[in-house]
Amino acid sequence: MSDNTPGAPGSGEPDPEREEQSSEHDLSHEELVDVGPAAEEEETVLSDDDLDILSGQTTADELAAERLADLQRVTAEYANYRKRTEANREVERERAVSEAVKGLIPVLDDLERAEKHGDLTEGSAFSTIAAKLRTNVERLGLTPYGEKGEPFDPQIHEAIFQQPTPDVTADTVAEVVETGYRLGSTTVRVAKVVVSVPA
């Protein structure tokens, strides 16, 4: 005997209650995602160069050549900037060291005078200190100049006295009164000299 209740197995009619449960059961496994308002289409912005290429006024090769020229120009500017920076750094270093060693020059003058008078005997403590001081200022780049017999140069020598001498044909340093000092390419102090001039 067949059961004619709707939705019963074998009745052939759909059971609305069972379909509703089945529908709810299926939805329970789905996740709801809030997509928000409908996304607006992004506007594509083209550069003037892109527009020129699209319109056929400029080719890709011409644009690449232009970009390469720009890159080469920027590279050259950066290289020049680095050279200027390095040169300025070296000038500033020389200036700072020059200021530091200027205070030591009178001490070097005293050592030179003491040496001329025989006060710096070989092996004495005073001689050792003088040698250390001279070595250290030379390490900083301070070099003495001005020798008896060298040609007189008004750029690096200061003539404090001229003496006519029959056996010279050009202005010559006869005696160094005060040694000159250079620091790299900078003259820290010019040499004060007595000059022999042709008679």
Side-chain angles (χ1 to χ4, degrees):
M1 176 175 190
S2 65
D3 188 0
N4 288 334
T5 41
S11 67
E13 292 184 27
D15 182 1
E17 190 175 312
R18 201 177 263 185
E19 280 184 10
E20 189 177 323
Q21 286 176 353
S22 172
S23 172
E24 284 176 7
H25 184 266
D26 291 342
L27 288 176
S28 68
H29 292 295
E30 294 182 14
E31 292 183 20
L32 298 177
V33 178
D34 183 13
V35 293
E40 297 178 9
E41 291 184 18
E42 291 185 17
E43 187 177 318
T44 304
V45 179
L46 297 175
S47 68
D48 291 342
D49 293 331
D50 295 333
L51 293 173
D52 287 345
I53 288 175
L54 291 174
S55 66
Q57 293 177 7
T58 306
T59 65
D61 289 341
E62 289 172 346
L63 185 59
E66 185 181 318
R67 293 289 187 260
L68 180 61
D70 288 346
L71 180 61
Q72 288 171 337
R73 179 181 51 77
V74 170
T75 304
E77 286 175 1
Y78 179 67
N80 289 337
Y81 166 76
R82 283 189 61 191
K83 285 178 189 173
R84 278 195 313 273
T85 304
E86 288 298 321
N88 289 344
R89 184 179 295 140
E90 187 57 32
V91 167
E92 281 302 309
R93 182 196 159 283
E94 277 189 12
R95 188 193 62 75
V97 173
S98 171
E99 288 300 316
V101 297
K102 274 182 184 175
L104 295 174
I105 289 176
V107 178
L108 295 171
D109 290 340
D110 290 342
L111 291 175
E112 195 173 323
R113 286 199 260 316
E115 193 170 37
K116 284 179 182 176
H117 289 102
D119 295 337
L120 293 180
T121 56
E122 189 68 35
S124 69
F126 196 41
S127 174
T128 305
I129 292 169
K132 284 182 181 178
L133 180 62
R134 286 174 176 159
T135 301
N136 283 320
V137 294
E138 283 176 13
R139 277 191 194 144
L140 291 172
L142 188 70
T143 54
Y145 75 90
E147 295 288 330
K148 181 178 178 178
E150 69 184 14
F152 173 74
D153 181 354
Q155 299 293 324
I156 59 171
H157 298 119
E158 180 183 339
I160 58 171
F161 183 74
Q162 290 184 348
Q163 58 185 23
T165 310
D167 52 342
V168 296
T169 56
D171 293 354
T172 308
V173 174
E175 186 183 340
V176 179
V177 177
E178 212 172 63
T179 303
Y181 289 96
R182 286 193 192 101
L183 185 68
S185 58
T186 307
T187 300
V188 179
R189 184 179 77 181
V190 296
K192 295 181 180 176
V193 296
V194 174
V195 183
S196 293
V197 295

